[in-house]
Amino acid sequence: MIAESFTATGQLLGTVVAVQANFYRVQLDQEDGEMRGMREMGEQNLPHPPHPPHPLLLLCTRRTRLKKIGQQVMVGDRVVVEEPDWAGGRGAIAEVLPRQSELDRPAIANVNQILLVFAVADPPLEPYQLSRFLIKAESTGLDVLLCLNKSDLISPQEQQQISDRLLGWGYRPLFISVKNSINIDQAATHLSNKITVIAGASGVGKSSLINGLIPNANLRVAEVSGKLARGRHTTRHVELFELPSGGMLADTPGFNQPDMDCNPEELIDYFPEARKRLAVASCRFNDCLHRDEPECAVRGKWERYEHYLEFLDAAIARQTQLHQQADPESTLKLKSKGKGQSQYEPKLESKKYRRVSRKTQLQDLQQLYQESEE
Ligand SMILES: Nc1nc2c(ncn2[C@@H]2O[C@H](COP(=O)(O)OP(=O)(O)OP(=O)(O)O)[C@@H](O)[C@H]2O)c(=O)[nH]1
Ligand SMILES: [Zn+2]
C-alpha cells in the first residue's frame, strides 16, 4: 500500500505501532482524500506539497539526540520522522510529540479508552472477576467500555437480567456476539478514531473480536517479517492494529492479570456506583475508608460493597507489606480491628512507596502470569 503523508510544514508524522529492541515501527499518517482532491484541482494556499507515494509503514531508529536527552519512544507515540528511505522502508524518529496519556502496563501512550470484553457464558460470567477487571480499568482514569460477548448463548430475558444488574454497578454493557455478528458494527463505532486497549479474561473472545473488527489483522501480522514479526500467543510485546474505521486497537496480555495495586484511599473512586453516592454526600472524615467509620456516605446496601471491602483488604495488605519492605524499622503496623478488619497507620510517604512498588508490582505480575498459565 502507498500513501502520501505530510504536515503543514512538510514534516512526516506518524504513530509508533510497535517497539522491539531499538526499532520502532511507525505507521505514517495518510493525507485525507479531500485535501488531495483540492490539490489536484489546482487549489492554491495548500500546505506543503506531499512526499512522493511511499509505504505506510517505516521501520525507524531513534535519533541520537533523543537518546541523549533521555526521550523514550513508546507504542502510541506521535512522532516526526526524518530522512525516509522509501525504497528500504526505513526512517529515523526525530521528535516525539507531547503525550496525552501514558499507560504503564501495557506501556502505551495516548490511549483513549479501555475496551473490557467478557463473555455472558462459556466461560460463565463471574461477577467478582469482572469487578476486578473493571476496577483495574477504572484505575487508569481512561474511559471504560464494556462489551459482553457470546450473547448468542443466552436468552433475551437472561440478557436483560445481566443488563439490569450491571446498571446497578454503573455500567451499560454492549451485548455482542462475534459468532453471530451481533452489534459488532456498534462496537466498531465506539472505537473509531481512538486508541483503545482491549482487555478481558481468557477465552471470552478477544481474538475473535479483533479478527471480526480487523479482517486483515492476521494478514498484517504475517506481512511483517524478521525482527518485528509477532505470533499472537508467543510474544508479549505490545502492538497497535489499525482499525478500518480509523483508530487503533492494542491487544496485550500485559493488562490481563489485574492486581490490586492502587492506594486504599483511591479504591472507592473506581466504583462508579460509589462515586455517585459521593457526588451527593460526603463522609464525615476526609480519609474515610468506608468501613466502620461513623457517618460514612458510601457504606450501605449496594451490591458491590462486599467487593469493595475485599479489594480494600488486599490493597491495604499490599501497601503494608511494601512499606515494611521499604523500611523494616517502620513503626507501621497493620492493626486488627476485629471481624477480619484491619487498619494501617500512619500514612505512607508516597514517594518512597512508589519507588518500591514498581519492583514488587513486577513480581506480582510475573506470579500472576504463571498462575494464569498453569
Ligand atoms: N458461542 C460463541 N462463541 C464464541 C464467540 N466469540 C468467540 N467464541 C469462541 O470462544 C472461544 C475463545 O475465543 P478467543 O477469541 O480465542 O478468546 P480470547 O479472549 O482471545 O482468549 P485468550 O487468547 O485465551 O485470551 C473460541 O472457541 C471462539 O470460537 C461468540 O460470539 N459466541
Ligand atoms: Zn466513608
Side-chain angles (χ1 to χ4, degrees):
M1 241 209 302
I2 56 167
E4 296 163 340
S5 309
F6 70 106
T7 66
T9 54
Q11 281 178 322
L12 265 182
L13 263 183
T15 303
V16 177
V17 294
V19 178
Q20 197 157 0
N22 294 318
F23 288 97
Y24 306 88
R25 188 140 44 97
V26 177
Q27 164 125 12
L28 298 172
D29 293 358
Q30 295 183 55
E31 179 184 10
D32 70 54
E34 197 183 337
M35 192 104 78
R36 191 177 307 151
M38 282 158 74
R39 184 177 291 101
E40 277 160 10
M41 288 169 68
E43 193 88 18
Q44 297 301 307
N45 300 325
L46 285 172
H48 192 276
H51 290 272
H54 57 70
L56 268 175
L57 282 169
L58 291 182
L59 193 58
C60 297
T61 50
R62 181 174 54 143
R63 271 279 150 86
T64 322
R65 194 182 66 81
L66 293 185
K67 286 180 203 161
K68 278 190 185 140
I69 61 170
Q71 171 71 63
Q72 295 297 321
V73 181
M74 292 170 77
V75 168
D77 266 333
R78 300 278 299 148
V79 293
V80 176
V81 174
E82 285 181 353
E83 290 174 19
D85 160 15
W86 300 122
R90 299 294 182 115
I93 295 175
E95 196 184 325
V96 178
L97 303 189
R99 289 171 188 148
Q100 275 157 25
S101 69
E102 199 180 310
L103 261 192
D104 223 21
R105 202 180 301 271
I108 308 181
N110 302 320
V111 175
N112 301 107
Q113 61 184 1
I114 310 284
L115 168 62
L116 202 53
V117 182
F118 264 73
V120 292
D122 187 25
L125 189 60
E126 300 272 1
Y128 187 75
Q129 190 195 34
L130 174 59
S131 209
R132 272 185 88 94
F133 273 85
L134 282 169
I135 279 151
K136 188 71 184 173
E138 292 282 347
S139 74
T140 62
L142 300 167
D143 289 339
V144 179
L145 177 65
L146 177 60
C147 274
L148 294 180
N149 189 30
K150 311 199 187 184
S151 63
D152 53 283
L153 297 177
I154 58 169
S155 68
Q157 289 80 7
E158 285 171 304
Q159 186 169 311
Q160 189 59 49
Q161 278 169 8
I162 295 173
S163 182
D164 290 345
R165 187 169 179 186
L166 291 179
L167 204 58
W169 293 19
Y171 295 96
R172 217 177 275 279
L174 177 65
F175 288 88
I176 61 169
S177 166
V178 178
K179 190 179 166 199
N180 292 356
S181 298
I182 297 168
N183 281 340
I184 303 303
D185 289 350
Q186 223 171 319
T189 308
H190 286 287
L191 307 184
S192 80
N193 297 319
K194 290 182 176 156
I195 296 187
T196 304
V197 169
I198 191 166
S202 188
V204 297
K206 297 181 298 294
S207 318
S208 311
L209 178 60
I210 292 170
N211 288 332
L213 290 166
I214 313 173
N216 59 351
N218 284 331
L219 215 147
R220 243 204 67 198
V221 172
E223 248 174 40
V224 184
S225 58
K227 273 198 147 66
L228 290 175
R230 175 201 193 221
R232 233 186 70 76
H233 298 281
T234 51
T235 48
R236 292 213 181 273
H237 78 266
V238 181
E239 174 161 6
L240 285 175
F241 291 98
E242 199 186 15
L243 292 155
S245 55
M248 291 184 172
L249 192 59
D251 165 37
T252 158
F255 189 86
N256 293 342
Q257 284 81 29
D259 47 354
M260 286 299 132
D261 55 0
C262 61
N263 278 322
E265 291 88 350
E266 290 169 353
L267 181 63
I268 200 66
D269 296 333
Y270 309 149
F271 291 78
E273 69 274 53
R275 285 204 299 262
K276 223 160 95 185
R277 284 170 166 251
L278 283 168
V280 294
S282 354
C283 303
R284 178 164 157 198
F285 300 108
N286 284 339
D287 58 352
C288 185
L289 288 178
H290 323 296
R291 289 184 293 194
D292 44 13
E293 297 89 339
E295 291 170 57
C296 172
V298 168
R299 188 175 56 237
K301 286 195 190 316
W302 45 286
E303 189 193 347
R304 286 203 299 166
Y305 182 58
E306 288 302 315
H307 291 182
Y308 169 72
L309 290 178
E310 253 183 81
F311 296 150
L312 182 66
D313 275 350
I316 289 171
R318 197 178 164 282
Q319 204 178 48
T320 307
Q321 187 197 3
L322 283 173
H323 193 78
Q324 278 166 351
Q325 279 174 2
D327 182 7
E329 304 289 301
S330 163
T331 51
L332 175 111
K333 292 231 168 63
L334 188 69
K335 288 190 181 158
S336 177
K337 300 188 79 191
K339 285 191 205 161
Q341 294 194 338
S342 51
Q343 190 160 9
Y344 70 103
E345 277 168 349
K347 279 218 157 163
L348 301 172
E349 280 174 57
S350 58
K351 260 190 184 163
K352 189 185 267 180
Y353 162 61
R354 284 220 180 82
R355 260 208 312 270
V356 187
S357 83
R358 289 189 179 265
K359 201 167 139 203
T360 315
Q361 245 178 12
L362 202 75
Q363 287 165 350
D364 283 0
L365 210 93
Q366 279 161 354
Q367 195 184 341
L368 275 159
Y369 269 148
Q370 281 157 10
E371 282 168 12
S372 73
E373 280 176 353
E374 271 163 23

